[in-house]
Amino acid sequence: MSALTTPFGFASTAGEVVSGIDLFGRRAVVTGASSGIGAETARALAATGAAVTLAVRDVAAGERVAEDITGSTGNQDVRAARLDLTDPASITAFTAAWQGPLHVLVNNAGVMACPEQYTEQGREWQFATNHLGHFALATGLHGALAADGNARIVVVSSTGHQQSPVVWDDIDFAFRPYDPWLAYGQSKTANVLFAVEATRRWADDNITANALMPGAIYTNLQRHTGGRGSGRVPAELIKTVEQGAATSALLATSPLLEGVGGRYFVDCNETEIVDRRSGTLHGVARYAVDPAGARRLWDLSQDLITGAA
């Protein structure tokens, strides 16, 4: 299977990626869309004519962004709705309130390298936010996604996944000393594995899921790292927010992605599988696209959200 390439690259913006695409009559949800690349992804989707829901913890902030997006795109069908990915009741309320088909789900929200913290259910905060909450959201919206007959899920991962596979026997750092970067890496690996298994498991519903590395962008995601991420990315590789949202927008809208799923993209193109840390922002670890690992994570995640594990 050859890698999928597109006319876009590192410097492309979300606006450029969606230029000429018409999604009027289609509906999209973008999590974490009250700032950063989530807001710009939502703006790009709104520019195509899609009805866009900003799923956010801070509804007031989300409403301000929705108003700004309407002002810049002319799309009146942009709204904010409350969603806290660490709160199962909030996820259930969001999915229960959704009516009708859903065409695009962008799992964008996330935390990075935060201090040690756990949910009320005892789940490590980064795994709970970045993966488990999104897993519960996507499975809760499965019926709406399946109703479309051609839905897409876009999963924002990171090159940080190369820092750790999913450590099956100690996901919540019950025995290992907590390390914020290892926890982040594990959660980002889980993001890729989810895309692999969702594509396989929901193939009969024509639902595809792809994961991506948006690039190095200075946003609120870096609140726990002094505002500059890992601090190891050269200045020439730092993207604007508009550039950072480009790969998400591409996976959500491009005709080139029709029927394509279970893959991992960087700079708007599918990247290579690697067996060692690449030392660049490119490459996806083999363990992150392993079908057996993807199935194992799905089953474990299902048990975790139902309280069976």
Side-chain angles (χ1 to χ4, degrees):
M1 182 173 61
S2 59
L4 190 152
T5 60
T6 79
F8 304 102
F10 172 89
S12 299
T13 66
E16 292 168 347
V17 163
V18 302
S19 179
I21 292 177
D22 183 0
L23 296 184
F24 183 79
R26 299 177 75 78
R27 305 166 76 199
V29 169
V30 184
T31 68
S34 60
S35 65
I37 65 171
E40 292 309 314
T41 302
R43 190 185 309 278
L45 289 169
T48 70
V52 183
T53 298
L54 284 57
V56 296
R57 285 185 301 172
D58 185 340
V59 175
E63 288 175 342
R64 288 193 294 271
V65 173
E67 183 178 355
D68 179 68
I69 291 174
T70 292
S72 65
T73 65
N75 188 335
Q76 300 293 320
D77 204 351
V78 182
R79 70 181 187 95
R82 187 177 185 279
L83 175 68
D84 183 343
L85 290 165
T86 64
D87 180 0
S90 176
I91 299 169
T92 298
F94 185 94
T95 58
W98 188 268
Q99 299 293 319
L102 175 61
H103 308 90
V104 176
L105 172 62
V106 183
N107 291 344
N108 167 83
V111 292
M112 182 176 76
C114 61
E116 186 171 11
Q117 188 175 354
Y118 297 87
T119 68
E120 290 185 7
Q121 294 73 37
R123 305 277 74 86
E124 189 277 316
W125 198 260
Q126 296 190 76
F127 187 82
T129 304
N130 298 344
H131 165 64
L132 203 57
H134 280 123
F135 176 86
L137 177 67
T139 53
L141 290 172
H142 172 252
L145 291 162
D148 172 54
N150 195 28
R152 298 185 187 186
I153 303 173
V154 178
V155 187
V156 179
S157 181
S158 169
T159 297
H161 82 272
Q162 294 181 16
Q163 298 187 67
S164 177
V166 174
V167 180
W168 303 105
D169 294 327
D170 195 18
I171 285 175
D172 294 312
F173 289 83
F175 298 96
R176 295 176 288 161
Y178 178 77
D179 182 294
W181 286 108
L182 292 181
Y184 179 67
Q186 174 177 249
S187 72
K188 294 288 103 177
T189 292
N191 287 156
V192 188
L193 289 170
F194 167 79
V196 171
E197 180 62 6
T199 297
R200 185 196 72 82
R201 188 170 293 243
W202 292 342
D204 289 345
D205 300 313
N206 293 318
I207 298 170
T208 56
N210 289 288
L212 69 115
M213 161 61 170
I217 310 104
Y218 295 150
T219 68
N220 289 340
L221 183 66
Q222 286 85 27
R223 66 176 65 91
H224 299 296
T225 65
R228 288 297 183 266
S230 67
R232 296 190 294 267
V233 180
E236 64 271 18
L237 294 184
I238 303 298
K239 293 185 177 184
T240 66
V241 177
E242 293 79 10
Q243 291 170 333
T247 307
S248 294
L250 176 98
L251 299 185
T253 66
S254 174
L256 296 172
L257 272 294
E258 191 75 29
V260 174
R263 305 195 194 187
Y264 180 86
F265 291 75
V266 182
D267 294 342
C268 297
N269 290 275
E270 187 177 0
T271 193
E272 68 276 12
I273 296 174
V274 297
D275 292 304
R276 297 182 65 86
R277 288 191 303 275
S278 63
T280 72
L281 299 184
H282 284 257
V284 59
R286 191 174 301 277
Y287 56 69
V289 291
D290 173 52
R295 289 192 292 273
R296 182 177 184 181
L297 178 67
W298 189 285
D299 291 341
L300 174 62
S301 301
Q302 192 67 57
D303 287 345
L304 290 174
I305 67 171
T306 59

